[in-house]
């Protein structure tokens, strides 16, 4: 079954980046999560115990993202994916999108970032 829980637009201030000012001052990042899980039971029972708490996922993802100052978005996204899969056995796969809208790039752009997908089977 391919049911999905999503969390979009989670804004976190963190100090990730290659440049010195990024690790000193930090900046705003935006995270989107797509969690693949079997939601059949919770769709019948209407019990939180039969699904995944969105609030707990947000807390886990936020802690993992802010836990260290990573140089690369790829590593920061990987830390989030690892934390979610470790903390929530009901989740079979996770897709983490990290947006860095204020990346220090000498260009005009709307957004840059990474999308990383991980599953228990990979």
């Amino acid at each position: 079954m391919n049911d999905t829980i999503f969390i979009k637009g989670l804004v976190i201030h963190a100090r990730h980046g290659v440049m010195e000012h990024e690790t000193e001052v930090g900046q705003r990042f935006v995270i989107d999560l797509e969690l693949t899980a079997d939601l059949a039971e919770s769709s019948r029972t209407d019990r939180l115990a039969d699904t995944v708490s969105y609030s707990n996922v947000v807390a886990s993802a936020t802690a993992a993202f802010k836990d260290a100052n990573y140089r690369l978005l790829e590593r920061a996204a990987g830390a989030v994916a690892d934390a979610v899969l470790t903390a929530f056995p009901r989740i079979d796969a996770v897709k983490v999108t990290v947006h860095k809208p204020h990346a220090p790039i000498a260009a005009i752009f709307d957004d840059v970032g990474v999308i990383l997908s991980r599953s228990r089977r990979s």
Side-chain angles (χ1 to χ4, degrees):
M1 194 167 289
N2 290 329
D3 300 326
T4 302
I5 294 170
F6 66 89
I7 299 165
K8 293 189 178 189
L10 176 61
V11 178
I12 301 174
H13 185 270
R15 299 169 187 262
H16 306 311
V18 175
M19 303 184 84
E20 187 175 332
H21 71 275
E22 292 180 293
T23 59
E24 288 177 7
V25 177
Q27 61 190 290
R28 181 177 67 101
F29 296 85
V30 181
I31 297 176
D32 301 328
L33 300 169
E34 288 185 28
L35 315 170
T36 303
D38 184 349
L39 303 178
E41 186 70 16
S42 61
S43 71
R44 286 190 298 274
T45 67
D46 198 30
R47 294 180 339 141
L48 181 58
D50 294 330
T51 190
V52 176
S53 165
Y54 310 159
S55 178
N56 291 348
V57 170
V58 167
S60 180
T62 299
F65 194 76
K66 293 180 80 167
D67 190 38
N69 294 350
Y70 302 112
R71 294 174 53 83
L72 301 178
L73 288 185
E74 292 85 336
R75 179 63 193 111
V80 171
D82 292 344
V84 168
L85 288 174
T86 298
F88 305 97
R90 289 184 183 271
I91 297 174
D92 296 321
V94 60
K95 181 168 129 180
V96 180
T97 303
V98 178
H99 305 265
K100 189 174 181 179
H102 303 292
I105 299 171
I108 297 171
F109 60 92
D110 287 332
D111 197 9
V112 298
V114 299
I115 300 171
L116 185 146
S117 298
R118 297 290 180 266
S119 70
R120 295 193 184 282
R121 293 173 279 290
S122 63

